Amino acid sequence: MITWEDFYTVMCAMIPLYFAMFLAYGSVKWWKIFTPEQCSGINRFVATFAVPVLSFHFISHNNPYQMDSRFILADTLSKLLVLMAISLWAALSAAFASPRRRGRRLDWVITLFSVGTLPNTLVMGIPLLRAMYGDFTQSLMVQLVVLQCIIWYTLLLFLFEYRAATLLIEDQFPGTAAAAIAKFEIDGDIISLDGRDPIQAESEIDADGRLRVRIRRSTSSAPGSGMSSSLGITPRRLSNVSGAEIFSVNTPARQPQPAPAEQLTVRDITFGYRSASPHPSGYASSDAYSLQPTPRASNFNELEICTPVWVRSPAVAGGVKLAWEGCGGRCGQVDKDVGAGEKDLSFRSTSKFVVRKEDEIEMEGEAEQEMPAALVMLRLILTVVGRKLSRNPNTYSSILGLLWSLISFKWDISMPSLLKESIKIISDAGLGMAMFSLGLFMALQPRIIACGPKMAAISMAIRFLSGPTVMSAASMAVGLRGVRLHTAIVQAALPQGIVPFVFAREYGLHPDILSTGVIFGMLVSLPVTLLYYILLGL
């Protein structure tokens, strides 16, 4: 039975975190203390230093030789069950879909897996469960954090890059043409296929008669280029501050429209047709841990709003060049204060393309898409995934923390006091600053529920009902009982992690759903987890 003293202990652990979040929200929304540029600096510190150091602190103090294998097995089994169930649904529904629409099933596999299985374990899970069930839960949560960072976020990134690669191949090598590709060559400055940078793919036949594709940065989609002007779209340049920038979607209505004689069709802009959501400028905080490409300067006097565009370049001497062009350029001015009187651009807003009936008929009747050999695709995706992870500070903090814990607990070696205290002073600020940056993120959104009430209700049901249900089944299947079972269930009911939102925003895949999960989920998670805590304690 849960006593009032137990309830008060939980409140003492959680209210300070929510205080930091709402203090940041009020500082931007009501009191106008921070400008977007200042918010960017705060969040860059959080993403680059505070949270990675916090992660290193927890992992390095956890004994890896006393891992709870049954608890880890339950968490792993629950995620695999969800992934298999969603994949089975996608496979069955794809059997009755047209070839062009089958690729969309992967979109929902990624989104539903993110919503259902990847909570905010580090920032919310450790303090909450430690207050509910005791200090031993900190070790359990740290073990899950390690698995999330090293395994599950890597798997998620793999799925996103696979989706981006298939979009490129489907557009540039339709039908059976892609099956002839023998090798992809990726320039060293290409970090990802997510479309954040202008990219083009060039194909050529080598001396052995094999088709090789080179992926490199495009130089033809700069502002004022033929591509930008002929399509009549205001290009955008996605800024990035190591996963730390604030996502603001308030901008004047200055987006130019295509001329009537140059209306865009599905055949002109394939990527815009296939993407379920726009690809907005983004923010990655706290749980994101800087899962981003190489940092670039952020500019809050610009807001980028158009979707990357796939186009086919003209033939050139020596063969045919096939190119996927992203957008590059500038559009609009953003007022430095978050105020009213401006047009709100939510995640749901997107460019309006003319879908001609003959286009739909032609696309439905196309031959089934073929892909390159599995090994060729695997090499491509592993290359870009490895490059992206190598730019992530939290990758290094997790691996270094794990290595140090293996050494220190094996040979009983203590960290030098000078280094220990230097890490401690940053990690102590990690939790508070992570929640503060979440408040800044909330304040710069035009609406809390970006995906609409119906989709929000579905995502909340998956997050707070389906997730704990599957976890409880998996936990009981492996023999978890008592307090550890309760810990596993409550952990599954934590709010949405931010890493999935970061990826969804970068790759243009349902960012409205994941944004709602982060913001609205934070607001409802406390009463939901308290309800689970009370019911499990009866």
Side-chain angles (χ1 to χ4, degrees), residues 17 32 72 82 109 226 252 262 332 342 353 402 427 443 515:
L17 295 179
K32 313 296 183 184
I72 293 175
V82 171
V109 169
E262 297 182 352
E342 300 171 328
F353 304 121
L402 182 60
S427 65
S515 171

Side-chain angles (χ1 to χ4, degrees), residues 456-468:
I458 294 174
S459 63
M460 291 299 104
I462 295 173
R463 172 73 266 156
F464 295 116
L465 295 177
S466 300

Side-chain angles (χ1 to χ4, degrees), residues 1-13 131-132 533:
M1 177 65 71
I2 305 300
T3 65
W4 281 107
E5 183 179 355
D6 297 330
F7 182 81
Y8 181 75
T9 301
V10 174
M11 289 294 99
C12 288
M132 286 181 173
Y533 179 54

Side-chain angles (χ1 to χ4, degrees), residues 44-58:
R44 187 169 190 175
F45 167 77
V46 171
T48 307
F49 296 110
V51 174
V53 172
L54 176 67
S55 177
F56 174 85
H57 173 76
F58 279 128

Side-chain angles (χ1 to χ4, degrees), residues 45-299:
F45 167 77
V46 171
T48 307
F49 296 110
V51 174
V53 172
L54 176 67
S55 177
F56 174 85
H57 173 76
F58 279 128
I59 295 173
S60 63
H61 284 79
N62 181 65
N63 189 344
Y65 301 102
Q66 296 180 357
M67 303 281 277
D68 192 324
S69 57
R70 189 167 294 181
F71 189 87
I72 293 175
L73 180 60
D75 179 75
T76 303
L77 180 60
S78 68
K79 289 179 170 58
L80 291 178
L81 287 174
V82 171
L83 185 59
M84 287 189 296
I86 299 172
S87 301
L88 180 61
W89 162 80
L92 293 176
S93 59
F96 303 97
S98 63
R100 276 284 183 175
R101 295 183 181 273
R102 289 174 188 171
R104 293 188 176 185
R105 300 303 184 272
L106 177 61
D107 296 0
W108 285 107
V109 169
I110 296 172
T111 299
L112 295 176
F113 178 74
S114 301
V115 172
T117 64
L118 298 174
N120 193 337
T121 305
L122 178 63
V123 176
M124 290 291 293
I126 291 177
L128 177 63
L129 289 164
R130 187 168 53 190
M132 286 181 173
Y133 298 114
D135 293 338
F136 82 96
T137 59
Q138 175 174 316
S139 176
L140 298 178
M141 294 302 102
V142 171
Q143 294 169 29
L144 297 187
V145 168
V146 174
L147 292 180
Q148 276 189 348
C149 293
I150 297 178
I151 297 178
W152 300 114
Y153 289 155
T154 303
L155 173 62
L156 190 63
L157 181 59
F158 185 94
L159 293 175
F160 273 110
E161 288 292 349
Y162 175 78
R163 172 182 175 270
T166 56
L167 288 176
L168 185 153
I169 293 169
E170 286 176 3
D171 186 79
Q172 298 300 314
F173 303 93
T176 60
I181 299 176
K183 185 178 180 180
F184 286 98
E185 296 177 354
I186 310 174
D187 284 8
D189 58 350
I190 300 299
I191 307 302
S192 173
L193 303 177
D194 58 10
R196 293 171 64 87
D197 295 311
I199 295 175
Q200 68 181 35
E202 300 177 350
S203 62
E204 64 179 5
I205 306 297
D206 63 12
D208 299 327
R210 297 179 302 177
L211 180 63
R212 294 175 177 267
V213 176
R214 179 192 174 194
I215 301 176
R216 65 179 183 85
R217 285 188 182 273
S218 170
T219 58
S220 60
S221 58
S225 69
M227 187 277 291
S228 297
S229 59
S230 64
L231 290 180
I233 289 183
T234 303
R236 71 172 181 175
R237 176 181 54 80
L238 285 172
S239 58
N240 177 16
V241 266
S242 188
E245 63 184 293
I246 286 291
F247 171 66
S248 176
V249 288
N250 294 325
T251 183
R254 298 180 55 181
Q255 183 181 7
Q257 299 296 326
E262 297 182 352
Q263 282 188 321
L264 304 178
T265 68
V266 173
R267 304 300 299 174
D268 297 325
I269 304 184
T270 304
F271 194 75
Y273 168 81
R274 295 185 58 82
S275 181
S277 303
H279 195 68
S281 169
Y283 160 86
S285 173
S286 60
D287 205 23
Y289 311 150
S290 204
L291 282 166
Q292 301 264 21
T294 305
R296 293 175 297 228
S298 172
N299 187 347

